[in-house]
Short mmCIF file of all heavy atoms in Angstrom, two decimals:
data_model
loop_
_atom_site.label_atom_id
_atom_site.label_comp_id
_atom_site.label_asym_id
_atom_site.label_seq_id
_atom_site.Cartn_x
_atom_site.Cartn_y
_atom_site.Cartn_z
N MET A 598 0.85 -1.17 0.00
CA MET A 598 0.00 0.00 0.00
C MET A 598 0.90 1.24 0.00
O MET A 598 1.87 1.31 0.71
CB MET A 598 -0.90 -0.03 1.23
CG MET A 598 -1.91 1.07 1.27
SD MET A 598 -3.06 0.68 2.61
CE MET A 598 -3.67 2.29 2.94
N ALA A 599 0.53 2.21 -0.77
CA ALA A 599 1.32 3.44 -0.85
C ALA A 599 1.19 4.20 0.47
O ALA A 599 0.18 4.13 1.16
CB ALA A 599 0.81 4.29 -2.00
N ASN A 600 2.22 4.93 0.80
CA ASN A 600 2.17 5.76 2.00
C ASN A 600 1.14 6.87 1.82
O ASN A 600 1.09 7.50 0.77
CB ASN A 600 3.54 6.39 2.29
CG ASN A 600 4.53 5.36 2.76
OD1 ASN A 600 4.15 4.33 3.30
ND2 ASN A 600 5.81 5.63 2.56
N GLN A 601 0.34 7.08 2.82
CA GLN A 601 -0.68 8.12 2.80
C GLN A 601 -0.31 9.19 3.81
O GLN A 601 0.06 8.88 4.93
CB GLN A 601 -2.06 7.55 3.16
CG GLN A 601 -2.56 6.49 2.21
CD GLN A 601 -2.98 7.06 0.87
OE1 GLN A 601 -3.40 8.21 0.80
NE2 GLN A 601 -2.84 6.28 -0.17
N THR A 602 -0.41 10.44 3.43
CA THR A 602 -0.19 11.50 4.39
C THR A 602 -1.45 11.72 5.20
O THR A 602 -2.55 11.39 4.76
CB THR A 602 0.21 12.82 3.69
OG1 THR A 602 -0.86 13.21 2.84
CG2 THR A 602 1.49 12.65 2.90
N ASN A 603 -1.30 12.30 6.38
CA ASN A 603 -2.45 12.51 7.25
C ASN A 603 -3.48 13.46 6.64
O ASN A 603 -4.64 13.43 7.02
CB ASN A 603 -2.01 13.04 8.61
CG ASN A 603 -1.44 11.94 9.47
OD1 ASN A 603 -1.64 10.77 9.20
ND2 ASN A 603 -0.72 12.31 10.50
N ASP A 604 -3.08 14.31 5.71
CA ASP A 604 -4.03 15.25 5.13
C ASP A 604 -4.53 14.78 3.77
O ASP A 604 -5.18 15.53 3.05
CB ASP A 604 -3.43 16.65 5.04
CG ASP A 604 -2.17 16.69 4.18
OD1 ASP A 604 -1.65 15.62 3.82
OD2 ASP A 604 -1.72 17.80 3.88
N SER A 605 -4.26 13.55 3.41
CA SER A 605 -4.70 13.03 2.12
C SER A 605 -6.22 12.87 2.10
O SER A 605 -6.87 12.70 3.14
CB SER A 605 -4.04 11.69 1.82
OG SER A 605 -4.59 10.68 2.65
N GLY A 606 -6.77 12.88 0.90
CA GLY A 606 -8.20 12.66 0.75
C GLY A 606 -8.62 11.31 1.26
O GLY A 606 -9.69 11.15 1.86
N PHE A 607 -7.78 10.31 1.06
CA PHE A 607 -8.07 8.96 1.55
C PHE A 607 -8.21 8.97 3.07
O PHE A 607 -9.18 8.44 3.62
CB PHE A 607 -6.97 7.99 1.12
CG PHE A 607 -7.13 6.62 1.71
CD1 PHE A 607 -8.04 5.72 1.18
CD2 PHE A 607 -6.36 6.23 2.79
CE1 PHE A 607 -8.18 4.45 1.72
CE2 PHE A 607 -6.50 4.96 3.34
CZ PHE A 607 -7.42 4.08 2.80
N HIS A 608 -7.26 9.57 3.74
CA HIS A 608 -7.25 9.63 5.20
C HIS A 608 -8.52 10.34 5.71
O HIS A 608 -9.16 9.88 6.64
CB HIS A 608 -6.00 10.36 5.68
CG HIS A 608 -5.85 10.43 7.16
ND1 HIS A 608 -5.40 9.37 7.91
CD2 HIS A 608 -6.09 11.44 8.04
CE1 HIS A 608 -5.37 9.72 9.18
NE2 HIS A 608 -5.79 10.96 9.29
N GLN A 609 -8.88 11.42 5.07
CA GLN A 609 -10.07 12.16 5.48
C GLN A 609 -11.33 11.33 5.28
O GLN A 609 -12.23 11.34 6.12
CB GLN A 609 -10.16 13.48 4.72
CG GLN A 609 -9.09 14.47 5.12
CD GLN A 609 -9.07 15.70 4.23
OE1 GLN A 609 -9.84 15.81 3.27
NE2 GLN A 609 -8.18 16.62 4.53
N ARG A 610 -11.41 10.60 4.17
CA ARG A 610 -12.58 9.75 3.92
C ARG A 610 -12.69 8.63 4.95
O ARG A 610 -13.77 8.29 5.42
CB ARG A 610 -12.55 9.17 2.51
CG ARG A 610 -12.89 10.17 1.43
CD ARG A 610 -13.10 9.51 0.08
NE ARG A 610 -12.00 8.66 -0.35
CZ ARG A 610 -10.90 9.07 -0.97
NH1 ARG A 610 -10.74 10.35 -1.22
NH2 ARG A 610 -9.97 8.21 -1.33
N VAL A 611 -11.54 8.05 5.31
CA VAL A 611 -11.54 6.98 6.31
C VAL A 611 -12.02 7.52 7.65
O VAL A 611 -12.88 6.92 8.31
CB VAL A 611 -10.14 6.33 6.43
CG1 VAL A 611 -10.05 5.42 7.64
CG2 VAL A 611 -9.81 5.56 5.16
N HIS A 612 -11.48 8.67 8.07
CA HIS A 612 -11.92 9.28 9.33
C HIS A 612 -13.41 9.58 9.27
O HIS A 612 -14.14 9.32 10.24
CB HIS A 612 -11.13 10.56 9.62
CG HIS A 612 -9.81 10.31 10.26
ND1 HIS A 612 -9.47 10.87 11.47
CD2 HIS A 612 -8.75 9.55 9.89
CE1 HIS A 612 -8.25 10.47 11.80
NE2 HIS A 612 -7.79 9.67 10.86
N ARG A 613 -13.88 10.15 8.17
CA ARG A 613 -15.30 10.49 8.03
C ARG A 613 -16.15 9.23 8.10
O ARG A 613 -17.20 9.22 8.72
CB ARG A 613 -15.51 11.24 6.71
CG ARG A 613 -16.95 11.62 6.42
CD ARG A 613 -17.67 12.33 7.53
NE ARG A 613 -17.21 13.66 7.79
CZ ARG A 613 -17.55 14.34 8.90
NH1 ARG A 613 -18.34 13.82 9.80
NH2 ARG A 613 -17.11 15.54 9.11
N GLY A 614 -15.70 8.16 7.48
CA GLY A 614 -16.44 6.89 7.53
C GLY A 614 -16.56 6.35 8.94
O GLY A 614 -17.64 5.90 9.35
N HIS A 615 -15.47 6.40 9.70
CA HIS A 615 -15.52 5.96 11.10
C HIS A 615 -16.48 6.83 11.89
O HIS A 615 -17.30 6.33 12.67
CB HIS A 615 -14.14 6.00 11.74
CG HIS A 615 -13.21 4.95 11.26
ND1 HIS A 615 -13.47 3.60 11.38
CD2 HIS A 615 -12.00 5.03 10.66
CE1 HIS A 615 -12.48 2.91 10.87
NE2 HIS A 615 -11.57 3.76 10.42
N PHE A 616 -16.39 8.14 11.69
CA PHE A 616 -17.26 9.07 12.40
C PHE A 616 -18.73 8.76 12.10
O PHE A 616 -19.55 8.64 13.02
CB PHE A 616 -16.94 10.52 12.01
CG PHE A 616 -17.93 11.51 12.52
CD1 PHE A 616 -17.88 11.93 13.83
CD2 PHE A 616 -18.92 12.03 11.69
CE1 PHE A 616 -18.81 12.85 14.32
CE2 PHE A 616 -19.83 12.94 12.16
CZ PHE A 616 -19.78 13.35 13.48
N GLU A 617 -19.07 8.63 10.83
CA GLU A 617 -20.46 8.37 10.44
C GLU A 617 -20.95 7.03 10.99
O GLU A 617 -22.11 6.91 11.40
CB GLU A 617 -20.61 8.44 8.93
CG GLU A 617 -20.45 9.87 8.43
CD GLU A 617 -20.42 9.99 6.92
OE1 GLU A 617 -20.52 8.95 6.23
OE2 GLU A 617 -20.29 11.12 6.43
N ASN A 618 -20.09 6.03 11.03
CA ASN A 618 -20.46 4.73 11.57
C ASN A 618 -20.76 4.83 13.07
O ASN A 618 -21.76 4.30 13.55
CB ASN A 618 -19.36 3.71 11.30
CG ASN A 618 -19.78 2.30 11.64
OD1 ASN A 618 -20.89 1.89 11.35
ND2 ASN A 618 -18.88 1.55 12.26
N PHE A 619 -19.88 5.52 13.81
CA PHE A 619 -20.14 5.69 15.23
C PHE A 619 -21.39 6.52 15.47
O PHE A 619 -22.18 6.23 16.39
CB PHE A 619 -18.94 6.34 15.94
CG PHE A 619 -17.81 5.38 16.19
CD1 PHE A 619 -16.55 5.64 15.69
CD2 PHE A 619 -18.00 4.23 16.93
CE1 PHE A 619 -15.50 4.77 15.92
CE2 PHE A 619 -16.96 3.33 17.16
CZ PHE A 619 -15.71 3.60 16.66
N LEU A 620 -21.60 7.54 14.67
CA LEU A 620 -22.80 8.37 14.81
C LEU A 620 -24.06 7.53 14.60
O LEU A 620 -25.02 7.62 15.37
CB LEU A 620 -22.75 9.52 13.81
CG LEU A 620 -23.84 10.57 13.91
CD1 LEU A 620 -23.86 11.22 15.28
CD2 LEU A 620 -23.65 11.62 12.82
N ARG A 621 -24.04 6.67 13.59
CA ARG A 621 -25.17 5.78 13.32
C ARG A 621 -25.42 4.84 14.50
O ARG A 621 -26.55 4.66 14.95
CB ARG A 621 -24.91 4.97 12.05
CG ARG A 621 -26.00 3.98 11.69
CD ARG A 621 -25.60 3.10 10.52
NE ARG A 621 -24.36 2.37 10.75
CZ ARG A 621 -24.25 1.26 11.50
NH1 ARG A 621 -25.32 0.79 12.13
NH2 ARG A 621 -23.10 0.64 11.64
N LYS A 622 -24.34 4.27 15.04
CA LYS A 622 -24.47 3.35 16.17
C LYS A 622 -24.99 4.07 17.42
O LYS A 622 -25.81 3.50 18.16
CB LYS A 622 -23.14 2.68 16.47
CG LYS A 622 -22.73 1.67 15.42
CD LYS A 622 -21.39 1.07 15.74
CE LYS A 622 -20.98 0.03 14.71
NZ LYS A 622 -19.70 -0.59 15.06
N LEU A 623 -24.52 5.28 17.66
CA LEU A 623 -25.01 6.04 18.82
C LEU A 623 -26.49 6.34 18.69
O LEU A 623 -27.25 6.21 19.65
CB LEU A 623 -24.23 7.36 18.97
CG LEU A 623 -22.79 7.24 19.45
CD1 LEU A 623 -22.09 8.59 19.33
CD2 LEU A 623 -22.74 6.73 20.88
N THR A 624 -26.90 6.71 17.51
CA THR A 624 -28.31 7.04 17.27
C THR A 624 -29.19 5.80 17.41
O THR A 624 -30.31 5.90 17.90
CB THR A 624 -28.47 7.66 15.87
OG1 THR A 624 -27.62 8.82 15.79
CG2 THR A 624 -29.89 8.09 15.60
N ALA A 625 -28.67 4.65 17.01
CA ALA A 625 -29.46 3.41 17.04
C ALA A 625 -29.48 2.73 18.41
O ALA A 625 -30.32 1.86 18.65
CB ALA A 625 -28.91 2.43 16.01
N ALA A 626 -28.59 3.13 19.31
CA ALA A 626 -28.54 2.49 20.63
C ALA A 626 -29.89 2.59 21.33
O ALA A 626 -30.46 3.67 21.43
CB ALA A 626 -27.45 3.11 21.49
N GLU A 627 -30.39 1.45 21.79
CA GLU A 627 -31.71 1.40 22.41
C GLU A 627 -31.66 1.38 23.93
O GLU A 627 -32.69 1.53 24.58
CB GLU A 627 -32.47 0.18 21.90
CG GLU A 627 -32.75 0.25 20.41
CD GLU A 627 -33.48 -0.97 19.91
OE1 GLU A 627 -33.74 -1.90 20.71
OE2 GLU A 627 -33.80 -1.00 18.71
N ASN A 628 -30.47 1.18 24.49
CA ASN A 628 -30.35 1.17 25.94
C ASN A 628 -28.93 1.56 26.34
O ASN A 628 -28.04 1.69 25.49
CB ASN A 628 -30.75 -0.20 26.52
CG ASN A 628 -29.93 -1.33 25.94
OD1 ASN A 628 -28.70 -1.27 25.88
ND2 ASN A 628 -30.61 -2.39 25.50
N GLN A 629 -28.73 1.72 27.63
CA GLN A 629 -27.44 2.18 28.13
C GLN A 629 -26.32 1.17 27.85
O GLN A 629 -25.20 1.55 27.55
CB GLN A 629 -27.54 2.46 29.64
CG GLN A 629 -26.37 3.20 30.20
CD GLN A 629 -26.23 4.61 29.65
OE1 GLN A 629 -27.21 5.28 29.37
NE2 GLN A 629 -24.99 5.06 29.51
N GLU A 630 -26.63 -0.11 27.89
CA GLU A 630 -25.62 -1.14 27.61
C GLU A 630 -25.10 -1.02 26.18
O GLU A 630 -23.89 -1.08 25.95
CB GLU A 630 -26.21 -2.53 27.84
CG GLU A 630 -25.23 -3.65 27.62
CD GLU A 630 -25.86 -5.01 27.85
OE1 GLU A 630 -26.75 -5.13 28.70
OE2 GLU A 630 -25.43 -5.95 27.16
N GLN A 631 -25.99 -0.87 25.23
CA GLN A 631 -25.56 -0.69 23.84
C GLN A 631 -24.76 0.59 23.68
O GLN A 631 -23.75 0.61 22.97
CB GLN A 631 -26.78 -0.66 22.91
CG GLN A 631 -27.47 -1.98 22.77
CD GLN A 631 -28.72 -1.90 21.91
OE1 GLN A 631 -29.16 -0.81 21.52
NE2 GLN A 631 -29.32 -3.04 21.63
N LEU A 632 -25.19 1.63 24.35
CA LEU A 632 -24.48 2.90 24.28
C LEU A 632 -23.07 2.76 24.84
O LEU A 632 -22.11 3.26 24.25
CB LEU A 632 -25.26 3.97 25.05
CG LEU A 632 -24.80 5.41 24.89
CD1 LEU A 632 -24.89 5.86 23.44
CD2 LEU A 632 -25.64 6.32 25.77
N GLU A 633 -22.92 2.03 25.93
CA GLU A 633 -21.60 1.82 26.53
C GLU A 633 -20.66 1.06 25.59
O GLU A 633 -19.47 1.36 25.52
CB GLU A 633 -21.72 1.06 27.86
CG GLU A 633 -22.35 1.88 28.97
CD GLU A 633 -21.53 3.10 29.37
OE1 GLU A 633 -20.29 3.04 29.30
OE2 GLU A 633 -22.14 4.10 29.74
N ARG A 634 -21.21 0.10 24.84
CA ARG A 634 -20.39 -0.63 23.87
C ARG A 634 -19.89 0.28 22.77
O ARG A 634 -18.73 0.19 22.35
CB ARG A 634 -21.16 -1.81 23.28
CG ARG A 634 -21.11 -3.02 24.19
CD ARG A 634 -21.72 -4.22 23.52
NE ARG A 634 -23.07 -4.28 24.10
CZ ARG A 634 -24.15 -4.72 23.50
NH1 ARG A 634 -24.10 -5.17 22.28
NH2 ARG A 634 -25.31 -4.73 24.11
N VAL A 635 -20.74 1.18 22.31
CA VAL A 635 -20.33 2.12 21.26
C VAL A 635 -19.28 3.08 21.82
O VAL A 635 -18.28 3.37 21.15
CB VAL A 635 -21.54 2.91 20.71
CG1 VAL A 635 -21.09 3.93 19.67
CG2 VAL A 635 -22.58 1.96 20.12
N ILE A 636 -19.48 3.54 23.05
CA ILE A 636 -18.51 4.44 23.68
C ILE A 636 -17.15 3.76 23.78
O ILE A 636 -16.11 4.39 23.50
CB ILE A 636 -19.02 4.91 25.06
CG1 ILE A 636 -20.25 5.82 24.89
CG2 ILE A 636 -17.92 5.63 25.84
CD1 ILE A 636 -21.01 6.08 26.18
N SER A 637 -17.13 2.49 24.14
CA SER A 637 -15.87 1.75 24.21
C SER A 637 -15.19 1.71 22.85
O SER A 637 -13.97 1.87 22.74
CB SER A 637 -16.11 0.33 24.71
OG SER A 637 -16.54 0.35 26.05
N GLY A 638 -15.97 1.49 21.82
CA GLY A 638 -15.42 1.48 20.47
C GLY A 638 -14.85 2.83 20.07
O GLY A 638 -13.81 2.91 19.41
N ILE A 639 -15.53 3.89 20.47
CA ILE A 639 -15.04 5.24 20.18
C ILE A 639 -13.71 5.47 20.88
O ILE A 639 -12.78 6.03 20.29
CB ILE A 639 -16.09 6.30 20.60
CG1 ILE A 639 -17.31 6.21 19.69
CG2 ILE A 639 -15.48 7.70 20.57
CD1 ILE A 639 -18.50 7.02 20.16
N GLU A 640 -13.60 5.03 22.12
CA GLU A 640 -12.35 5.20 22.87
C GLU A 640 -11.20 4.47 22.18
O GLU A 640 -10.08 4.99 22.10
CB GLU A 640 -12.53 4.73 24.30
CG GLU A 640 -13.44 5.64 25.11
CD GLU A 640 -13.81 5.08 26.47
OE1 GLU A 640 -13.39 3.95 26.81
OE2 GLU A 640 -14.55 5.77 27.19
N VAL A 641 -11.47 3.28 21.67
CA VAL A 641 -10.44 2.53 20.93
C VAL A 641 -10.06 3.29 19.67
O VAL A 641 -8.88 3.42 19.34
CB VAL A 641 -10.92 1.10 20.61
CG1 VAL A 641 -9.98 0.41 19.63
CG2 VAL A 641 -11.09 0.29 21.88
N ALA A 642 -11.05 3.79 18.95
CA ALA A 642 -10.78 4.53 17.71
C ALA A 642 -9.95 5.78 17.98
O ALA A 642 -9.05 6.11 17.20
CB ALA A 642 -12.10 4.90 17.03
N VAL A 643 -10.21 6.46 19.08
CA VAL A 643 -9.44 7.64 19.43
C VAL A 643 -8.00 7.24 19.74
O VAL A 643 -7.04 7.86 19.26
CB VAL A 643 -10.07 8.39 20.62
CG1 VAL A 643 -9.14 9.46 21.17
CG2 VAL A 643 -11.40 9.01 20.21
N ALA A 644 -7.84 6.19 20.52
CA ALA A 644 -6.50 5.72 20.87
C ALA A 644 -5.69 5.30 19.64
O ALA A 644 -4.48 5.48 19.59
CB ALA A 644 -6.59 4.55 21.85
N ARG A 645 -6.37 4.79 18.63
CA ARG A 645 -5.71 4.34 17.41
C ARG A 645 -5.67 5.44 16.34
O ARG A 645 -5.29 5.17 15.20
CB ARG A 645 -6.42 3.11 16.85
CG ARG A 645 -6.27 1.91 17.73
CD ARG A 645 -6.95 0.72 17.12
NE ARG A 645 -6.74 -0.46 17.96
CZ ARG A 645 -7.34 -1.60 17.77
NH1 ARG A 645 -8.19 -1.75 16.77
NH2 ARG A 645 -7.11 -2.61 18.57
N ASN A 646 -6.11 6.63 16.70
CA ASN A 646 -6.12 7.77 15.79
C ASN A 646 -6.95 7.50 14.54
O ASN A 646 -6.61 7.90 13.43
CB ASN A 646 -4.68 8.18 15.42
CG ASN A 646 -4.61 9.59 14.89
OD1 ASN A 646 -5.45 10.42 15.22
ND2 ASN A 646 -3.63 9.86 14.07
N MET A 647 -8.08 6.80 14.73
CA MET A 647 -8.97 6.48 13.63
C MET A 647 -9.97 7.60 13.37
O MET A 647 -10.60 7.62 12.30
CB MET A 647 -9.71 5.16 13.92
CG MET A 647 -8.77 3.97 13.99
SD MET A 647 -9.54 2.50 14.71
CE MET A 647 -10.81 2.13 13.51
N ILE A 648 -10.16 8.46 14.33
CA ILE A 648 -11.00 9.65 14.17
C ILE A 648 -10.22 10.83 14.72
O ILE A 648 -9.39 10.67 15.61
CB ILE A 648 -12.39 9.52 14.85
CG1 ILE A 648 -12.26 9.25 16.33
CG2 ILE A 648 -13.22 8.46 14.17
CD1 ILE A 648 -13.59 9.22 17.06
N ASP A 649 -10.50 12.01 14.19
CA ASP A 649 -9.74 13.17 14.65
C ASP A 649 -10.42 13.84 15.84
O ASP A 649 -11.53 13.47 16.23
CB ASP A 649 -9.46 14.15 13.51
CG ASP A 649 -10.72 14.73 12.89
OD1 ASP A 649 -11.78 14.77 13.55
OD2 ASP A 649 -10.65 15.15 11.73
N ALA A 650 -9.75 14.82 16.41
CA ALA A 650 -10.22 15.46 17.65
C ALA A 650 -11.57 16.14 17.49
O ALA A 650 -12.42 16.05 18.38
CB ALA A 650 -9.17 16.46 18.14
N SER A 651 -11.80 16.80 16.36
CA SER A 651 -13.08 17.48 16.19
C SER A 651 -14.23 16.48 16.07
O SER A 651 -15.32 16.71 16.61
CB SER A 651 -13.05 18.41 14.98
OG SER A 651 -12.84 17.68 13.79
N ASP A 652 -13.99 15.36 15.39
CA ASP A 652 -15.02 14.32 15.31
C ASP A 652 -15.26 13.69 16.68
O ASP A 652 -16.40 13.38 17.04
CB ASP A 652 -14.63 13.24 14.30
CG ASP A 652 -14.79 13.72 12.86
OD1 ASP A 652 -15.46 14.74 12.63
OD2 ASP A 652 -14.25 13.05 11.97
N HIS A 653 -14.20 13.52 17.45
CA HIS A 653 -14.34 12.97 18.79
C HIS A 653 -15.20 13.90 19.65
O HIS A 653 -16.08 13.44 20.38
CB HIS A 653 -12.96 12.75 19.43
CG HIS A 653 -13.03 12.15 20.78
ND1 HIS A 653 -12.27 12.58 21.82
CD2 HIS A 653 -13.79 11.13 21.29
CE1 HIS A 653 -12.55 11.88 22.90
NE2 HIS A 653 -13.47 10.99 22.60
N GLN A 654 -14.96 15.19 19.55
CA GLN A 654 -15.76 16.15 20.31
C GLN A 654 -17.23 16.08 19.90
O GLN A 654 -18.12 16.08 20.75
CB GLN A 654 -15.22 17.58 20.10
CG GLN A 654 -16.02 18.63 20.82
CD GLN A 654 -16.05 18.44 22.33
OE1 GLN A 654 -15.06 18.03 22.92
NE2 GLN A 654 -17.18 18.73 22.94
N ALA A 655 -17.48 16.00 18.60
CA ALA A 655 -18.86 15.91 18.12
C ALA A 655 -19.53 14.63 18.62
O ALA A 655 -20.70 14.65 19.04
CB ALA A 655 -18.89 15.97 16.60
N LEU A 656 -18.80 13.52 18.61
CA LEU A 656 -19.36 12.26 19.11
C LEU A 656 -19.62 12.33 20.61
O LEU A 656 -20.62 11.79 21.09
CB LEU A 656 -18.43 11.09 18.78
CG LEU A 656 -18.35 10.70 17.31
CD1 LEU A 656 -17.26 9.67 17.10
CD2 LEU A 656 -19.68 10.19 16.80
N THR A 657 -18.75 13.01 21.34
CA THR A 657 -18.94 13.17 22.79
C THR A 657 -20.24 13.92 23.07
O THR A 657 -20.98 13.57 24.00
CB THR A 657 -17.73 13.91 23.41
OG1 THR A 657 -16.56 13.13 23.16
CG2 THR A 657 -17.90 14.10 24.90
N GLU A 658 -20.53 14.92 22.26
CA GLU A 658 -21.79 15.66 22.43
C GLU A 658 -22.99 14.78 22.15
O GLU A 658 -24.00 14.84 22.85
CB GLU A 658 -21.78 16.89 21.52
CG GLU A 658 -20.75 17.93 21.95
CD GLU A 658 -20.54 19.03 20.93
OE1 GLU A 658 -21.29 19.09 19.93
OE2 GLU A 658 -19.61 19.83 21.14
N VAL A 659 -22.89 13.93 21.13
CA VAL A 659 -23.99 13.00 20.81
C VAL A 659 -24.15 11.99 21.94
O VAL A 659 -25.28 11.65 22.33
CB VAL A 659 -23.76 12.31 19.45
CG1 VAL A 659 -24.82 11.25 19.19
CG2 VAL A 659 -23.73 13.33 18.33
N VAL A 660 -23.05 11.50 22.49
CA VAL A 660 -23.10 10.56 23.61
C VAL A 660 -23.86 11.19 24.77
O VAL A 660 -24.74 10.55 25.36
CB VAL A 660 -21.68 10.13 24.06
CG1 VAL A 660 -21.71 9.46 25.42
CG2 VAL A 660 -21.05 9.22 23.03
N GLN A 661 -23.56 12.43 25.10
CA GLN A 661 -24.23 13.10 26.21
C GLN A 661 -25.73 13.23 25.95
O GLN A 661 -26.55 12.96 26.82
CB GLN A 661 -23.62 14.49 26.45
CG GLN A 661 -24.21 15.19 27.65
CD GLN A 661 -24.03 14.40 28.93
OE1 GLN A 661 -22.93 13.97 29.24
NE2 GLN A 661 -25.10 14.21 29.68
N ARG A 662 -26.07 13.62 24.73
CA ARG A 662 -27.49 13.77 24.37
C ARG A 662 -28.20 12.42 24.45
O ARG A 662 -29.29 12.31 25.02
CB ARG A 662 -27.62 14.36 22.97
CG ARG A 662 -29.06 14.57 22.55
CD ARG A 662 -29.17 15.27 21.21
NE ARG A 662 -28.28 14.76 20.20
CZ ARG A 662 -28.59 13.81 19.32
NH1 ARG A 662 -29.78 13.26 19.34
NH2 ARG A 662 -27.72 13.39 18.43
N ARG A 663 -27.58 11.36 23.90
CA ARG A 663 -28.20 10.03 23.93
C ARG A 663 -28.31 9.50 25.36
O ARG A 663 -29.29 8.87 25.72
CB ARG A 663 -27.40 9.05 23.06
CG ARG A 663 -27.50 9.30 21.59
CD ARG A 663 -28.92 9.11 21.06
NE ARG A 663 -29.26 7.71 21.18
CZ ARG A 663 -30.48 7.25 21.45
NH1 ARG A 663 -31.48 8.06 21.63
NH2 ARG A 663 -30.70 5.96 21.55
N THR A 664 -27.30 9.77 26.19
CA THR A 664 -27.37 9.35 27.58
C THR A 664 -28.55 10.01 28.27
O THR A 664 -29.32 9.35 28.99
CB THR A 664 -26.06 9.71 28.31
OG1 THR A 664 -24.97 9.02 27.68
CG2 THR A 664 -26.11 9.33 29.78
N ASP A 665 -28.73 11.30 28.04
CA ASP A 665 -29.87 12.02 28.62
C ASP A 665 -31.19 11.43 28.13
O ASP A 665 -32.12 11.24 28.91
CB ASP A 665 -29.81 13.51 28.27
CG ASP A 665 -28.63 14.22 28.94
OD1 ASP A 665 -28.04 13.66 29.88
OD2 ASP A 665 -28.31 15.34 28.49
N GLU A 666 -31.28 11.14 26.82
CA GLU A 666 -32.51 10.58 26.26
C GLU A 666 -32.82 9.21 26.85
O GLU A 666 -33.98 8.92 27.17
CB GLU A 666 -32.39 10.47 24.74
CG GLU A 666 -32.37 11.79 24.03
CD GLU A 666 -32.02 11.67 22.54
OE1 GLU A 666 -31.76 10.54 22.06
OE2 GLU A 666 -31.99 12.71 21.89
N LEU A 667 -31.83 8.38 26.99
CA LEU A 667 -32.04 7.03 27.50
C LEU A 667 -32.35 7.01 29.00
O LEU A 667 -32.97 6.06 29.48
CB LEU A 667 -30.83 6.14 27.20
CG LEU A 667 -30.60 5.82 25.72
CD1 LEU A 667 -29.28 5.09 25.52
CD2 LEU A 667 -31.76 4.98 25.16
N ASN A 668 -31.93 8.04 29.71
CA ASN A 668 -32.19 8.10 31.14
C ASN A 668 -33.51 8.74 31.49
O ASN A 668 -33.85 8.83 32.67
CB ASN A 668 -31.05 8.83 31.86
CG ASN A 668 -29.78 8.01 31.90
OD1 ASN A 668 -29.83 6.79 31.92
ND2 ASN A 668 -28.65 8.68 31.89
N GLN A 669 -34.26 9.16 30.51
CA GLN A 669 -35.56 9.78 30.79
C GLN A 669 -36.64 8.74 31.03
O GLN A 669 -36.65 7.68 30.59
CB GLN A 669 -36.00 10.68 29.64
CG GLN A 669 -35.17 11.91 29.55
CD GLN A 669 -35.62 12.83 28.42
OE1 GLN A 669 -36.58 12.56 27.71
NE2 GLN A 669 -34.91 13.92 28.25
#
């Protein structure tokens, strides 16, 4: 595989794909247990630099909103 720079279009598409997948999973979570599994996956993705900081912040906001919704 050719070396990819961090600002390449490929890299951005991969990050966007991970972000959209996590967003879909957060939205689909039906209970706190499912939400916790998605959160764990997000933490792994952050540790592996699979999503960038701005996407992580956006997902954190969705997590908070979904947590509030599920706790009502």
Side-chain angles (χ1 to χ4, degrees):
M598 185 169 157
N600 289 335
Q601 299 288 331
T602 61
N603 283 344
D604 60 349
S605 72
F607 174 79
H608 183 79
Q609 291 172 358
R610 285 191 307 275
V611 169
H612 277 237
R613 178 50 69 193
H615 288 301
F616 171 79
E617 290 173 359
N618 189 42
F619 283 123
L620 186 59
R621 179 187 57 78
K622 289 178 179 182
L623 288 171
T624 303
E627 296 179 358
N628 57 49
Q629 192 65 34
E630 181 180 328
Q631 290 176 352
L632 191 61
E633 290 297 328
R634 277 187 260 149
V635 177
I636 292 167
S637 293
I639 292 169
E640 291 171 358
V641 169
V643 169
R645 293 182 177 172
N646 199 27
M647 295 166 64
I648 58 175
D649 62 24
S651 63
D652 286 345
H653 182 223
Q654 178 61 37
L656 290 172
T657 300
E658 292 169 8
V659 175
V660 165
Q661 184 59 50
R662 182 175 45 93
R663 290 296 293 145
T664 299
D665 293 345
E666 291 171 358
L667 292 173
N668 288 330
Q669 290 181 2

